[in-house]
Amino acid sequence: MLSLFPSNDYLLIAVILGMPLLGAFVNGVWGKQLGKDAVRVMALTAVGLSFAASVAAFVALSQLADQQKGEHVKLVWNAWEWMNTNGGAGGVTVPIDVKFSIDALSGVMMLIVTGVGFLIHLYATSYMADDEGFARFFAYLNLFIFSMLVLLLGDNLPILFVGWEGVGLCSYLLIGFWYEHAPNAAAGKKAFIANRVGDFGLICGMFLLVHYTGALDWNGIANGASSLLHTGEQARVHVWPLGGGQYTGVLSFLQPKSPVTISAATAVGLALLLGCTGKSAQIPLYVWLPDAMAGPTPVSALIHAATMVTAGIYLICRLSFVFVLSPFVMVLIACVGAATALFAATIALVQNDIKKVLAYSTVSQLGFMFLGVGVGAFTAGFFHVFTHAFFKACLFLGAGSVIHAMHARIHDGDPSQDLRNMGGLRRWMPLTHWTFAGATAAIIGLPLTSGFFSKDEILYRAFVNRTVNPAAAALQGRVYAPPAWIGTALYATAVAAAVLTAFYMCRLYFLTFWGEFRGWTVGRPSLLSKHEVAAHDDHGHGEHHEDLSTPGHPPHESPWQMTVPLIILATFSVFAGWLNPGFGLSRQPMEHWLEPVFKEATEGAVVYAGGHDAAWAEHMTLPLALGGIGAFLVGTLLAWWMYVSQSGAPAKRAAEAQPALHRLLLDKWRIDELYDATVIAAVDSLAETAAAFDRAIVDGILARLTALVVAASGTVLRAFQSGVVHVYAAMMVVGLAATGWFFAVPHANATVVDSGNNDYLVTAAPGVGYAYRWDADSDGKPEKSDFGADSTLKLHLEPGRSQTVHLEVKNSFGLIRSKSIHVARPEEPTSSL
Amino acid sequence: MIPVEHYVLLSSLLFVIGSVGFLVRRNVLVTLMSIEVMLNAANLALVAFNRSRLRHAVEQAAPGPSHTGQVFAFFVIAAEAAEVAVGLAIVLSLYRLRRTVRSDEADLLKN
């Protein structure tokens, strides 16, 4: 396998990338003509072949890794040179190539994207079977797979950015897939714009990196990363005054006593973090992800749960060696993650839309991943990405299966996703139920499932890990040290979030699959006329129940294209945890596999809290695991008591006891309203100002006033257009006479040129038959009494003196005109400044 | 030999008559005739000068017989013929369109 392609020119990457692109092109251009069967085959083949090639590449990579033990091995394909730029300390040339590479980190992500992507494609062939935009959907989905692979396999930041924007575009297109419905289009725009804010950060990070490290590819940045830490004040990034200037004059009150500076590492980290919060839906840019559920459910599963939203965590892992240089940014990442995990979980507690609950759950789980990478446990954070891809994709696809089943009874979109209309579905859809149960067990942290292992490792690392500046000695103590209690606070927040996770996921599971089915009264066929029943029953499941006393069609299990992906994903959700079980066990394949990627970054940067040693950390393993297990038990039992044994009565009582709080949670803390009132209002007023300027200045003065002047002069000039030929002829005669007069009289003009040595040369303008007479001192007595051909006069003037020259010009008709020319020489300059 | 001043005087007289006629008469046919008179006044001046003064100057530069003025006059006559042909065609069109040959009634392009 390895011998087929050399590792430094690994052409198989072209197949991995090219197949989804081909699928997108074929389905996008000829999809309508090909028909649904051909589109289905094309889309599945494209992603399937890409997955097969990914597996082959992964096997080759693992063989290479075995050969070079402990080395950070890569399979590289340099497609072509893209452009060059300048950067770094010496202004070196920075090549930017279209270059792709597979290493341990991107290899795993590549397998997730193509593998889970293939399953979701298979699922979607059934889920979207009746949709009119079938071909368009698969074109977008294939394009997404391509863009995501570009993001993951890109060997430098600009290529990653191309993929980053590509997945953003596909996300936008797929959220607004049913664009006829206005809220869907608005949700797409919201996602696009929120991501642009993050992209601004990512671009700034790129600029800073190219300026300080002089490289944009992973190896180059790693080599130049040390130049991000400077001791000199001038070499640091000046935050205030921005760019290191000085405020003077009226602005001097803005000038601080000493300029506020941060190290370049912190600046880069903050900029990149902004980009990651946008893509990975963290505070403050998480608002787009819940709305993104307006897209079809397979899209929610693939893009907004399993793959694209983890791009931010991937980027932090990818550039871990940059992030660890700034402990402040690392702590900030961890805090953002923990806060998001808890915050989103509180919202998920009370939501009634099955996809909304899962959306906030995704935001919350992404927060856990941020927490993991923020405390320097890159493997733990990335392992949660890995397990989350399976269980959250399974949950979303299960929710899609439930919605599909509910559509048999309820044909309107929103009520068919409402938990209040579900219940007891395990009776009719056993496969969906059991797979959903498996994935739920994983996310709530049932011991020995994948989510338990990955989440527990994050909780554990949040407590025992601490990030320190690896170059602290060189920086002479100018390093940020996080407070000692931060580990405890992060651990407590994460445990609280885990309790809430267990509670809301069990609530979702119990409300959907347990109890009695509550959907009989919604869209009940007996309440509709027979005609409407025929028109609404576009699914055509079973016979029409014309007996008005029976409750109508029951919900039904989904076809095999939907259940097979569910089974596979649920299997992985339950068992994938054994790839990295933690707890000091000797077999940790994932950690071993990723070790070369993160070894460089974590060495010297990630230590044990409070100066403890590895023995202490090992000693803490079991006590800290109790937090995770306790969270699981508390949340699950509370949900069981509320929604199964008491059938939801305590939940109702709690909501009635605290109506304001319940309302606030239901309204998602009214963060959207807050953003409307602040950010969007500010942008709106800026737009209003610009529009007023446009109306008054551009339209009013530049356009209308100019037009008015032209129109007025046109009105005046039109009066001369009498249409009478004789008037024109008379005017012509007048004009001819004026021209004739101009040529008949002489014109006395002269130019004065400084010819050096205090001499001036006065030259009279030439003309046909002209003769000149000069009077240099204007005393009324010309030098020569006769007119002559001499058209120049030389004049000697000392500094500070001036003289008036009198010139007379005569032409052939004997007419004479004269002119006085004043010539002055300025004083010599006296100042030496 | 008649002095050239006489010719020039006659030529100026003809030109003034032509230009006054051109400016004051409203009949387009008369206007055309006035133009003819002006052109012929110029022709007269051309041939008269060729016979007298200018001939002197030209012969100093390039000795031998000179007929520049006469040749110029022939060109003017050719241009005149073309101008009359076009002018009369315009007058006919104008008459068909407006039933008039008075130039002050042909003001379709007014304003």
Side-chain angles (χ1 to χ4, degrees):
Chain A
M1 190 60 81
L2 191 57
S3 56
L4 200 56
F5 302 106
S7 68
N8 58 359
D9 189 20
Y10 203 75
L11 257 175
L12 196 60
I13 294 177
V15 178
I16 298 172
L17 288 170
M19 284 313 294
L21 186 62
L22 180 71
F25 183 74
V26 170
N27 284 344
V29 176
W30 297 295
K32 274 260 158 81
Q33 291 94 308
L34 286 175
K36 287 188 177 175
D37 286 328
V39 167
R40 183 181 301 136
V41 170
M42 182 71 238
L44 289 178
T45 312
V47 184
L49 280 180
S50 183
F51 178 59
S54 301
V55 171
F58 195 79
V59 170
L61 183 70
S62 64
Q63 285 174 355
L64 192 64
D66 281 345
Q67 283 171 17
Q68 307 177 16
K69 285 224 174 300
E71 288 292 308
H72 185 185
V73 289
K74 276 184 179 181
L75 302 174
V76 179
W77 177 49
N78 197 344
W80 64 82
E81 290 175 11
W82 189 7
M83 54 184 167
N84 285 313
T85 182
N86 289 314
V92 294
T93 304
V94 182
I96 299 172
D97 296 342
V98 179
K99 188 177 176 185
F100 303 95
S101 67
I102 304 176
D103 71 343
L105 184 67
S106 55
V108 176
M109 282 296 278
M110 171 183 77
L111 282 184
I112 296 174
V113 169
T114 52
V116 176
F118 178 74
L119 292 177
I120 293 173
H121 271 68
L122 178 63
Y123 178 97
T125 55
S126 169
Y127 189 85
M128 301 297 287
D130 296 327
D131 201 280
E132 288 199 353
F134 193 77
R136 186 164 59 93
F137 181 80
F138 280 100
Y140 291 166
L141 220 51
N142 278 355
L143 185 65
F144 168 77
I145 297 281
F146 166 74
S147 307
M148 192 69 205
L149 287 171
V150 169
L151 192 163
L152 297 172
L153 302 186
D155 194 61
N156 52 41
L157 261 176
I159 294 292
L160 177 138
F161 190 70
V162 170
W164 187 275
E165 292 302 305
V167 293
L169 170 71
C170 295
S171 165
Y172 162 76
L173 290 172
L174 285 164
I175 293 168
F177 184 72
W178 291 311
Y179 55 84
E180 295 94 342
H181 191 45
N184 295 353
K189 272 193 287 183
K190 188 175 178 182
F192 205 69
I193 292 166
N195 269 300
R196 290 290 80 67
V197 178
D199 295 343
F200 164 74
L202 183 53
I203 289 182
C204 288
M206 267 198 265
F207 291 156
L208 286 167
L209 276 175
V210 86
H211 178 74
Y212 283 98
T213 67
L216 281 172
D217 61 313
W218 310 137
N219 285 338
I221 297 173
N223 291 336
S226 59
S227 56
L228 289 169
L229 291 172
H230 289 289
T231 47
E233 203 63 39
Q234 280 308 311
R236 291 159 65 89
V237 178
H238 286 245
V239 177
W240 190 258
L242 203 58
Q246 213 166 16
Y247 291 111
T248 53
V250 282
L251 290 175
S252 58
F253 70 94
L254 289 170
Q255 180 72 26
K257 281 205 182 75
S258 64
V260 182
T261 63
I262 54 176
S263 75
T266 305
V268 170
L270 288 175
L272 293 179
L273 175 60
L274 182 63
C276 296
T277 56
K279 199 53 102 193
S280 288
Q282 298 294 293
I283 292 173
L285 293 175
Y286 73 93
V287 287
W288 65 270
L289 186 55
D291 286 25
M293 298 304 135
T297 307
V299 172
S300 308
L302 178 61
I303 302 183
H304 305 121
T307 55
M308 184 191 82
V309 289
T310 58
I313 293 110
Y314 171 76
L315 180 61
I316 296 178
C317 290
R318 185 87 279 172
L319 291 176
S320 50
F321 45 81
V322 171
F323 281 94
V324 293
L325 294 180
S326 174
F328 173 70
V329 171
M330 290 296 279
V331 168
L332 190 64
I333 293 172
C335 291
V336 164
T340 310
L342 184 64
F343 182 78
T346 59
I347 301 174
L349 289 179
V350 297
Q351 297 299 313
N352 287 319
D353 186 312
I354 185 168
K355 287 181 74 182
K356 276 276 156 66
V357 177
L358 291 177
Y360 280 104
S361 160
T362 304
V363 176
S364 177
Q365 295 299 310
L366 290 166
F368 275 106
M369 299 168 202
F370 262 61
L371 173 60
V373 295
V375 296
F378 296 105
T379 307
F382 184 72
F383 188 55
H384 202 54
V385 170
F386 181 73
T387 58
H388 178 260
F390 295 120
F391 62 67
K392 190 48 68 65
C394 184
L395 287 172
F396 263 115
L397 295 187
S401 180
V402 166
I403 294 165
H404 190 256
M406 294 291 287
H407 266 279
R409 296 199 50 77
I410 306 164
H411 302 291
D412 191 11
D414 286 337
S416 68
Q417 302 186 9
D418 199 320
L419 291 173
R420 287 168 296 195
N421 296 333
M422 297 174 186
L425 288 175
R426 65 188 160 138
R427 210 178 315 155
W428 293 288
M429 8 190 5
L431 276 173
T432 306
H433 166 242
W434 282 113
T435 52
F436 202 92
T440 307
I443 191 175
I444 64 179
L446 177 72
L448 308 186
T449 58
S450 66
F452 167 73
F453 287 124
S454 58
K455 196 190 287 181
D456 189 75
E457 183 73 3
I458 290 175
L459 296 180
Y460 168 68
R461 293 289 175 188
F463 191 84
V464 302
N465 271 18
R466 199 66 73 245
T467 49
V468 295
N469 200 319
L475 294 173
Q476 294 147 2
R478 286 192 56 174
V479 288
Y480 171 81
W485 46 263
I486 194 86
T488 321
L490 289 174
Y491 180 77
T493 315
V495 168
V499 172
L500 297 182
T501 306
F503 178 79
Y504 70 71
M505 279 313 298
C506 288
R507 168 180 176 267
L508 175 72
Y509 168 68
F510 291 139
L511 284 179
T512 310
F513 292 103
W514 290 58
E516 287 302 311
F517 186 55
R518 295 177 293 275
W520 296 128
T521 51
V522 182
R524 186 173 168 171
S526 59
L527 301 177
L528 303 168
S529 72
K530 280 180 193 174
H531 174 72
E532 277 173 314
V533 171
H536 276 77
D537 196 351
D538 48 356
H539 288 265
H541 300 291
E543 309 238 305
H544 288 291
H545 289 252
E546 296 182 358
D547 181 0
L548 296 186
S549 63
T550 62
H553 316 295
H556 58 86
E557 184 57 280
S558 302
W560 70 268
Q561 292 97 325
M562 291 166 72
T563 50
V564 166
L566 283 175
I567 294 165
I568 297 172
L569 289 171
T571 312
F572 273 99
S573 308
V574 174
F575 297 111
W578 292 103
L579 285 172
N580 198 42
F583 289 105
L585 297 180
S586 58
R587 261 192 80 75
Q588 308 279 3
M590 184 67 100
E591 190 161 352
H592 177 70
W593 175 248
L594 290 174
E595 198 189 354
V597 181
F598 298 128
K599 190 174 59 183
E600 213 176 317
T602 49
E603 257 175 12
V606 182
V607 298
Y608 291 111
H612 292 288
D613 56 2
W616 169 79
E618 204 162 311
H619 185 67
M620 294 297 285
T621 311
L622 281 177
L624 289 174
L626 288 179
I629 297 170
F632 154 71
L633 284 175
V634 170
T636 309
L637 290 177
L638 195 63
W640 171 269
W641 175 71
M642 268 198 183
Y643 292 102
V644 178
S645 69
Q646 303 281 320
S647 315
K652 233 174 240 143
R653 277 203 302 279
E656 279 159 11
Q658 293 282 346
L661 184 63
H662 184 249
R663 195 71 238 159
L664 190 64
L665 288 180
L666 215 51
D667 290 347
K668 306 140 197 168
W669 295 98
R670 304 203 183 98
I671 295 295
D672 280 337
E673 285 78 358
L674 178 71
Y675 282 0
D676 273 343
T678 53
V679 180
I680 295 171
V683 173
D684 274 350
S685 57
L686 188 68
E688 289 292 327
T689 315
F693 178 84
D694 183 50
R695 276 193 294 270
I697 308 293
V698 177
D699 284 2
I701 292 178
L702 289 184
R704 296 229 176 81
L705 192 67
T706 313
L708 200 69
V709 168
V710 171
S713 46
T715 309
V716 172
L717 289 174
R718 205 178 300 125
F720 293 95
Q721 187 88 10
S722 64
V724 183
V725 180
H726 290 97
V727 178
Y728 298 168
M731 283 181 181
M732 194 171 79
V733 168
V734 170
L736 275 173
T739 314
W741 179 249
F742 180 82
F743 285 112
V745 297
H747 299 276
N749 270 323
T751 52
V752 181
V753 178
D754 191 345
S755 58
N757 292 331
N758 295 340
D759 281 345
Y760 281 105
L761 204 60
V762 188
T763 310
V768 180
Y770 279 12
Y772 308 94
R773 185 163 68 178
W774 296 94
D775 181 4
D777 45 6
S778 299
D779 57 354
K781 293 174 191 150
E783 274 79 10
K784 292 174 188 159
S785 57
D786 288 336
F787 283 85
D790 191 7
S791 66
T792 57
L793 177 75
K794 205 174 201 179
L795 209 61
H796 186 81
L797 275 181
E798 293 296 330
R801 302 287 301 279
S802 67
Q803 197 169 349
T804 303
V805 177
H806 195 71
L807 166 68
E808 286 172 291
V809 181
K810 187 170 93 170
N811 71 353
S812 316
F813 294 115
L815 296 171
I816 298 174
R817 291 289 182 275
S818 64
K819 183 174 187 171
S820 293
I821 304 122
H822 188 74
V823 187
R825 177 171 289 282
E827 294 276 358
E828 288 285 345
T830 55
S831 167
S832 61
L833 285 175
Chain B
M1 191 171 156
I2 305 165
V4 76
E5 283 83 0
H6 293 214
Y7 293 103
V8 173
L9 201 65
L10 177 62
S11 170
S12 315
L13 208 64
L14 280 173
F15 191 85
V16 170
I17 291 169
S19 54
V20 170
F22 176 74
L23 286 175
V24 301
R25 292 301 296 265
R26 292 293 183 259
N27 191 317
V28 184
L29 287 167
V30 178
T31 313
L32 274 178
M33 289 195 281
S34 304
I35 295 172
E36 295 300 310
V37 172
M38 280 192 283
L39 285 167
N40 281 316
N43 277 351
L44 183 59
L46 284 171
V47 291
F49 276 121
N50 193 66
R51 259 175 72 94
S52 61
R53 268 203 186 155
L54 284 181
R55 183 180 175 184
H56 214 65
V58 171
E59 269 180 2
Q60 279 179 343
S66 164
H67 302 292
T68 317
Q70 282 90 335
V71 171
F72 214 135
F74 277 121
F75 276 106
V76 173
I77 289 166
E80 250 175 68
E83 176 243 311
V84 168
V86 175
L88 283 177
I90 292 172
V91 174
L92 273 174
S93 301
L94 176 68
Y95 183 74
R96 284 189 187 151
L97 201 65
R98 303 292 301 234
R99 290 280 147 197
T100 178
V101 289
R102 288 181 62 82
S103 62
D104 51 354
E105 289 171 12
D107 57 356
L108 275 173
L109 288 177
K110 186 177 181 181
N111 294 343

